[in-house]
Amino acid sequence: MKVLVIGLGGVTNGGKTTLAKRLRKQLPNCSILAQDDFFKPESEVEIDEHGFKQYDVLDALYMEEMVTSIRSWMKNPTGSSVSTAESKSTPVNLRSTEEVHILIAEGFLLYNYEPLNEVWDRRYFLTIPYEECKRRRSTRVYQPADQPGYFDGHVWPMYLKHKREMEENTNNIVYLDGTKSEEDLFSYVYNDIMRELEAWKK
């Protein structure tokens, strides 16, 4: 049995969850783990000098628990608590391969936490421009709700900061244009993963 761990990172509202769910439906034995599930309670999240809750930083997340969950899945994907959806169909060219299990970990801060950098087989990162990101963010409802000025005062500056750090310290990231259609993004990533699985057979 082989396991493939895929990172699907990127900017807030970049399309990570939508893409992950589409991939799960089409890839064999595919599970999703969401970084958002590891946020600390609101009472434990720091507040900066402007009164903004510091959600877009690693300290707002139980990252050790996330690493533990991924490593637990890697050891025993069929017995893990990470959810798996049945694929609609297993691609013909995979049916003859030995059993493979795929985990897609999706989140906004996947590549800035050193202990996670050892687990990825593939890394993707979705980007969208400032104006589009702000527009999409304004249509979403969060708990707790975004404060006035929160996007410009915290969310976007933290995204740029962490993206710079990621680019300085991490290699082998495939950047994806989140303004492309869902179909184009799915097709590109799906085919890239399939090529990876095919390479394992050789």
Side-chain angles (χ1 to χ4, degrees):
M1 181 178 69
K2 292 183 176 178
V3 296
L4 183 72
V5 182
I6 296 163
L8 186 55
V11 66
T12 178
N13 293 278
K16 301 179 293 296
T17 303
T18 300
L19 178 55
K21 287 179 178 177
R22 285 201 66 178
L23 290 166
R24 181 171 65 175
K25 288 180 180 177
Q26 298 298 331
L27 291 167
N29 304 315
C30 186
S31 305
I32 295 176
L33 182 141
Q35 189 173 36
D36 283 358
D37 291 340
F38 295 89
F39 270 116
K40 294 177 180 177
E42 184 180 359
S43 60
E44 294 182 33
V45 177
E46 298 285 333
I47 300 175
D48 72 3
E49 67 272 18
H50 305 293
F52 292 134
K53 282 276 187 180
Q54 300 291 286
Y55 274 107
D56 289 50
V57 297
L58 287 170
D59 282 347
L61 296 148
Y62 291 120
M63 291 304 298
E64 289 182 11
E65 287 186 16
M66 185 175 181
V67 174
T68 299
S69 292
I70 292 175
R71 292 203 174 279
S72 174
W73 178 91
M74 291 170 71
K75 290 176 183 172
N76 184 16
T78 57
S80 168
S81 59
V82 179
S83 65
T84 304
E86 289 298 318
S87 307
K88 288 181 180 174
S89 60
T90 299
V92 172
N93 56 346
L94 284 181
R95 288 179 188 156
S96 61
T97 67
E98 66 179 284
E99 189 176 13
V100 58
H101 289 266
I102 300 170
L103 178 67
I104 300 173
E106 62 99 349
F108 69 106
L109 266 182
L110 295 182
Y111 310 130
N112 298 74
Y113 188 65
E114 187 61 35
L116 271 183
N117 285 331
E118 304 165 5
V119 306
W120 310 119
D121 292 297
R122 302 292 287 165
R123 304 179 220 223
Y124 302 97
F125 191 89
L126 281 153
T127 64
I128 52 176
Y130 164 83
E131 291 293 347
E132 176 64 10
C133 188
K134 189 171 184 177
R135 184 193 68 77
R136 292 186 190 182
R137 178 92 179 193
S138 70
T139 66
R140 295 275 295 274
V141 178
Y142 290 90
Q143 288 296 332
D146 282 356
Q147 303 163 250
Y150 190 65
F151 182 84
D152 288 313
H154 175 64
V155 175
W156 191 255
M158 286 298 102
Y159 163 67
L160 294 178
K161 174 181 181 287
H162 291 123
K163 185 169 179 283
R164 280 194 301 271
E165 290 174 359
M166 176 188 76
E167 290 167 344
E168 290 170 3
N169 300 311
T170 311
N171 298 315
N172 303 319
I173 295 175
V174 177
Y175 290 89
L176 305 171
D177 180 355
T179 64
K180 289 189 174 180
S181 70
E182 289 181 16
E183 188 57 44
D184 284 350
L185 289 167
F186 165 77
S187 179
Y188 178 86
V189 176
Y190 175 81
N191 288 323
D192 196 45
I193 293 170
M194 292 301 293
R195 283 192 293 272
E196 180 86 3
L197 294 175
E198 283 295 308
W200 284 2
K201 293 166 62 177
K202 296 175 182 175

